[in-house]
Amino acid sequence: MSEAALDLQARAAKLDARDELRAKRAEFVLDDTVYLDGNSLGALPANVPERVADVISRQWGALRIRSWDESGWWTAPERIGDRIAPLVGAGRGQIVVGDSTSVNVFKALVAAVRIARGAGDGHPDESGGGHPDGGRDEIVVDATTFPTDGYIAQSAARLTGCRLIPVAPADVPGVLGERTAAVLLNHADYRTGRLHDLPGLTAAVHAAGALVVWDLCHTAGALPVGLDEHGVDLAVGCTYKYLNGGPGSPAYLYVRREVQDRFDSPLPGWNSHAEPFGMRPEFEAAAGAVRGRVGTPDILSMLALEAALDVWDGVEIDAVRTKSLALTDFFLRCVEAYVPEGRVEPVTPRAHAERGSQVALRCEGAGDVMKRLIEQGVVGDYRAPDVLRFGFTPLYVSFADAERAARVLARTLD
Amino acid sequence: MSEAALDLQARAAKLDARDELRAKRAEFVLDDTVYLDGNSLGALPANVPERVADVISRQWGALRIRSWDESGWWTAPERIGDRIAPLVGAGRGQIVVGDSTSVNVFKALVAAVRIARGAGDGHPDESGGGHPDGGRDEIVVDATTFPTDGYIAQSAARLTGCRLIPVAPADVPGVLGERTAAVLLNHADYRTGRLHDLPGLTAAVHAAGALVVWDLCHTAGALPVGLDEHGVDLAVGCTYKYLNGGPGSPAYLYVRREVQDRFDSPLPGWNSHAEPFGMRPEFEAAAGAVRGRVGTPDILSMLALEAALDVWDGVEIDAVRTKSLALTDFFLRCVEAYVPEGRVEPVTPRAHAERGSQVALRCEGAGDVMKRLIEQGVVGDYRAPDVLRFGFTPLYVSFADAERAARVLARTLD
């Protein structure tokens, strides 16, 4: 073991000893793997198996249909939304859980376009076809986005008669104007881990009279988002990364209180009706964020997520951010110390203000390198064509994990 | 106990003894309740708890991210679709599981309109706005539908520049014409239990050059559907009724092989991409039914459903239909024998060809009557304003259940 390694291991031990979140690790099911893929699939919170067993055997098996009322199934989407709310800086009554991120992006974008065009102002909506010059007929989308957002944005544009304008987030202010209806942005880049300027970009979009939709998949649960504070209109996110909800657990939709009355969903299912059991042929949207619901909520996955959110009890998101930055700083330091010069190139920004909770390293043969890391018990993931991605979940990743990951990486590249 | 009751109980015992599906009852978790609400939420199959426990603890908890490949998570939507296929008369490769019924109705209807208009024939699509006279710009929808289908059809019409035409299923042939793009129909009416003429209506829609979307929520798993045989274009259904997938379990989408190449989804998520992990900014639809997928599949609910489908091993859907008709016939006979004249009026057709797998009875004060039935261990449900609904799931409902339900109903109304 080199001296540098001994130093960094001692440093890791010190940082772990001081870590105010260290007790949280025991609330997860972990083994001796260094699990740095929580930005893809969060680890299993230890209380989930028992809770889901109860949902299945007692709530479904014994109470059956009565559980829609008696076990609180019917109100789960908004109840669990309120559990996520403090993690993303939202007051109550603005988030509903359900559907996938892609489906929520679709709801949010189409609704944003409709709001931007104004309700009842005589603007020909998509149903009338054709839009006069000067109407808001442009959707701006992050050109570096996780692809699904781009595909869905293209579909929303096609269906609302808009033109899609893909640009890098930094270039968004330059393309905004009186034709901009809505802007879809990622809070953090899924590949590089770069954190985008949510307050600044939101203000720029608003200055142009448009609405912004933020995708929080790679930030919710890893750092403060401040949806209410920064005036975000709409936001979506998944719950299986830093929120540890389980594989494919339901996503969520945030609809800012001020725009809820104008939120006109392209997916108006019976669950978003003002009186769902009235079984009326005419649609009348429910008040509040509930109008973001669509069909029957997926109860097993949803209640697994609800149990998973218990690990956030007593956790301040600022403390999570502090540890996240310390972890990624420390990992970068270990990589610099251990990995031979020139073998990897960090693409995640050094500046804290521009960093999410992952470290992406460009590396020749990244796909094979990741396979070998996984064989040695260090699990990150590979993103084509040449990126090694390491996610740092502050609730269960330790500084010792970060040091070991860098050490195994160096050995693998040697 | 009246003589009529003794006779009918003896008859029930005889019918149960002869029931070739009677062994299936032991594969469900049941108690002494007469559960006639399986058309709302199917009972729990006994193998589900252990299977889901394994998915959570081993697949998620221990294998974590590796399970997307190693535990077959990624291919679950189409694999489970192929398990449902024989129950609805579909060959392999035409069904994917995921999302809610409402979301699938949206995909199917918008895609149907696009196919009807023809790809690449210069017809101005929704993005161009405006449709020339003679274009296909009408969506016909069952006016008696479960409301969510109507709301979603309205939204699909608005977004594709179509006019929505709600009519009773029997009147559909009369409104079809060269402007008809797509028709959305329910195989069975959720309220009355009336079975609609799927082969005849499908043929009528095709004769008009339009596409048909069938909602199978109230028939899949209860009777033969024959999707391939009758040339149905698109179909959707839930899995939590007669398929016993659990509360809010994912729905499915059938896309007939012949129209798959032209299936142009309004929800093109990364899961429907030809190369989902290529992370390419341009969308290119996958081949086959997979292009009906959208976002990350909801694994816990999906694998609970997969386990639930094991109860169908060795079951022929024709045998299910035979028992279903025998059960509903017998229940109606018991109701006639026990319930005082004029207190209830069956709204479910007597003719087998027009009957699904439920019996709906119009009854004064139906809401209160159902509450009192439930207190006495007979669980059906109430549909506003005056319908008592009793669902008969042939895999676990016995003739003795049917007799007891009618007897308790008579006592309650007495």
Side-chain angles (χ1 to χ4, degrees):
Chain A
M1 185 82 58
S2 73
E3 213 167 309
L6 290 171
D7 279 359
L8 286 167
Q9 281 171 39
R11 178 81 190 138
K14 222 176 257 175
L15 288 165
D16 281 327
R18 263 193 227 152
D19 172 14
E20 57 177 296
L21 294 173
R22 72 180 179 282
K24 284 286 159 188
R25 190 175 167 101
E27 296 181 30
F28 290 87
V29 175
L30 294 165
D31 50 28
D32 60 359
T33 302
V34 174
Y35 191 64
L36 302 181
D37 213 0
N39 56 337
S40 186
L41 174 65
L44 172 65
N47 66 331
V48 167
E50 194 181 329
R51 191 82 67 85
V52 174
D54 180 66
V55 169
I56 293 179
S57 294
R58 187 179 58 84
Q59 297 184 8
W60 173 15
L63 297 177
R64 288 182 286 257
I65 197 73
R66 292 163 50 188
S67 276
W68 282 107
D69 288 326
E70 293 178 27
S71 303
W73 287 355
W74 184 261
T75 52
E78 49 269 26
R79 179 178 74 240
I80 302 172
D82 281 340
R83 293 282 301 278
I84 293 172
L87 300 175
V88 290
R92 295 171 65 85
Q94 299 176 104
I95 296 183
V96 283
V97 173
D99 303 309
S100 66
T101 305
S102 302
V103 170
N104 281 302
V105 168
F106 184 75
K107 293 181 215 170
L109 259 189
V110 173
V113 169
R114 289 172 172 174
I115 294 168
R117 286 175 175 173
D121 66 349
H123 184 99
D125 203 338
E126 60 269 17
S127 58
H131 303 291
D133 286 344
R136 293 193 179 266
D137 60 359
E138 293 178 352
I139 294 176
V140 177
V141 65
D142 178 354
T144 63
T145 188
F146 185 77
T148 210
D149 293 41
Y151 308 152
I152 295 287
Q154 181 67 60
S155 175
R158 176 179 174 187
L159 286 163
T160 56
C162 282
R163 195 162 67 96
L164 189 68
I165 303 182
V167 290
D171 299 332
V172 164
V175 302
L176 299 172
E178 57 186 22
R179 300 188 66 160
T180 313
V183 181
L184 171 63
L185 293 166
N186 296 277
H187 196 191
D189 185 293
Y190 78 98
R191 198 178 329 223
T192 64
R194 177 182 290 273
L195 185 67
H196 296 305
D197 176 15
L198 182 143
L201 288 167
T202 299
V205 173
H206 286 170
L211 281 88
V212 68
V213 180
W214 282 96
D215 180 331
L216 309 177
C217 284
H218 284 276
T219 52
L223 51 91
V225 177
L227 290 177
D228 285 355
E229 181 188 349
H230 302 303
V232 168
D233 303 297
L234 297 145
V236 302
C238 75
T239 62
Y240 45 76
K241 298 180 189 291
Y242 298 104
L243 300 180
N244 314 299
S249 56
Y252 57 89
L253 172 68
Y254 165 87
V255 182
R256 185 176 189 75
R257 199 174 311 284
E258 287 75 8
V259 302
Q260 287 177 355
D261 283 353
R262 288 171 287 156
F263 182 85
D264 182 4
S265 176
L267 293 170
W270 72 297
N271 276 233
S272 50
H273 197 283
E275 201 193 332
F277 291 94
M279 304 285 161
R280 299 218 228 91
E282 297 78 29
F283 184 72
E284 185 195 336
V290 171
R291 66 172 63 178
R293 289 175 60 167
V294 186
T296 307
D298 196 334
I299 294 302
L300 301 192
S301 294
M302 205 165 279
L303 300 191
L305 166 63
E306 186 172 35
L309 291 171
D310 284 356
V311 300
W312 295 96
D313 287 352
V315 174
E316 293 294 331
I317 198 74
D318 288 326
V320 170
R321 175 61 167 166
T322 301
K323 181 175 174 189
S324 160
L325 288 171
L327 277 168
T328 50
D329 275 344
F330 183 66
F331 177 68
L332 283 165
R333 183 174 153 191
C334 294
V335 167
E336 258 168 35
Y338 295 161
V339 176
E341 185 80 25
R343 298 300 304 275
V344 298
E345 179 203 348
V347 292
T348 303
R350 293 271 164 178
H352 284 181
E354 296 173 14
R355 191 192 304 162
S357 198
Q358 74 178 47
V359 171
L361 302 174
R362 194 164 286 141
C363 174
E364 205 183 300
D368 279 340
V369 170
M370 185 50 72
K371 266 186 212 143
R372 288 161 60 205
L373 288 178
I374 291 170
E375 284 161 14
Q376 296 169 85
V378 173
V379 179
D381 62 22
Y382 159 67
R383 283 294 173 258
D386 61 356
V387 167
L388 299 171
R389 208 174 66 151
F390 301 96
F392 291 83
T393 302
L395 295 188
Y396 57 75
V397 171
S398 68
F399 292 89
D401 286 337
E403 189 276 338
R404 185 174 142 206
R407 192 154 31 91
V408 173
L409 173 64
R411 192 168 66 204
T412 304
L413 291 174
D414 209 9
Chain B
M1 187 79 61
S2 73
E3 213 166 309
L6 290 172
D7 279 0
L8 287 167
Q9 281 171 40
R11 178 82 190 136
K14 221 175 258 175
L15 289 165
D16 281 327
R18 265 194 226 150
D19 172 14
E20 59 177 294
L21 294 173
R22 71 181 179 282
K24 283 286 159 188
R25 189 175 167 104
E27 295 182 30
F28 289 87
V29 175
L30 294 164
D31 49 27
D32 60 359
T33 302
V34 174
Y35 190 63
L36 302 181
D37 213 359
N39 55 338
S40 186
L41 174 65
L44 171 65
N47 66 331
V48 168
E50 194 181 328
R51 191 82 67 86
V52 175
D54 179 66
V55 170
I56 293 179
S57 294
R58 186 179 58 84
Q59 297 184 7
W60 173 15
L63 297 177
R64 288 183 288 257
I65 197 73
R66 291 164 48 190
S67 276
W68 281 108
D69 288 325
E70 293 178 25
S71 304
W73 288 356
W74 183 261
T75 51
E78 49 270 26
R79 180 179 72 240
I80 303 172
D82 280 340
R83 292 283 302 276
I84 293 173
L87 300 175
V88 291
R92 295 172 66 83
Q94 299 175 103
I95 296 183
V96 283
V97 173
D99 303 310
S100 65
T101 306
S102 301
V103 170
N104 282 303
V105 167
F106 184 75
K107 292 180 217 170
L109 258 189
V110 172
V113 169
R114 288 172 172 174
I115 294 169
R117 286 175 176 174
D121 66 348
H123 183 102
D125 203 337
E126 59 271 15
S127 58
H131 303 291
D133 286 344
R136 294 194 179 266
D137 61 358
E138 294 178 350
I139 295 175
V140 177
V141 64
D142 178 353
T144 62
T145 187
F146 185 76
T148 210
D149 292 41
Y151 308 153
I152 295 288
Q154 181 65 64
S155 174
R158 177 179 172 187
L159 285 163
T160 56
C162 282
R163 195 161 67 97
L164 189 68
I165 303 182
V167 292
D171 299 332
V172 163
V175 301
L176 299 172
E178 58 186 21
R179 300 188 66 160
T180 312
V183 181
L184 172 63
L185 293 165
N186 296 277
H187 196 191
D189 185 293
Y190 78 101
R191 199 181 326 227
T192 64
R194 176 182 290 274
L195 184 68
H196 297 304
D197 176 15
L198 183 143
L201 288 167
T202 298
V205 173
H206 286 170
L211 281 88
V212 68
V213 180
W214 283 96
D215 180 332
L216 309 177
C217 285
H218 283 276
T219 52
L223 51 90
V225 176
L227 290 177
D228 284 353
E229 181 187 349
H230 302 303
V232 169
D233 304 295
L234 297 145
V236 302
C238 75
T239 61
Y240 46 75
K241 299 182 189 289
Y242 298 104
L243 300 180
N244 315 299
S249 56
Y252 58 89
L253 171 67
Y254 165 88
V255 182
R256 185 176 189 74
R257 197 173 313 284
E258 287 75 7
V259 301
Q260 287 177 355
D261 282 353
R262 288 171 286 155
F263 182 85
D264 182 3
S265 175
L267 293 170
W270 72 295
N271 276 233
S272 50
H273 197 283
E275 201 195 332
F277 291 94
M279 303 285 162
R280 298 218 229 91
E282 297 77 30
F283 184 73
E284 185 196 335
V290 171
R291 64 172 64 179
R293 290 176 60 168
V294 187
T296 306
D298 197 334
I299 295 301
L300 301 191
S301 295
M302 204 164 281
L303 300 192
L305 165 62
E306 187 172 34
L309 291 171
D310 284 355
V311 300
W312 295 96
D313 287 352
V315 175
E316 292 295 330
I317 199 72
D318 288 326
V320 171
R321 175 61 167 167
T322 302
K323 182 175 173 189
S324 161
L325 288 170
L327 276 169
T328 49
D329 275 345
F330 184 66
F331 177 68
L332 283 164
R333 181 173 155 192
C334 293
V335 167
E336 257 168 34
Y338 295 161
V339 175
E341 185 79 24
R343 297 300 305 275
V344 299
E345 178 204 348
V347 291
T348 302
R350 293 272 164 178
H352 284 179
E354 296 173 15
R355 193 192 301 164
S357 197
Q358 73 178 49
V359 171
L361 303 174
R362 193 163 285 140
C363 173
E364 205 183 300
D368 279 341
V369 170
M370 186 49 72
K371 267 186 211 142
R372 288 162 60 206
L373 289 179
I374 292 171
E375 284 161 13
Q376 296 168 84
V378 174
V379 178
D381 63 20
Y382 159 68
R383 282 293 175 260
D386 60 357
V387 167
L388 300 171
R389 208 174 67 152
F390 301 97
F392 291 83
T393 303
L395 294 189
Y396 57 75
V397 171
S398 68
F399 291 89
D401 286 337
E403 189 276 339
R404 186 174 141 205
R407 192 156 30 90
V408 173
L409 174 64
R411 193 168 66 202
T412 303
L413 291 173
D414 208 9

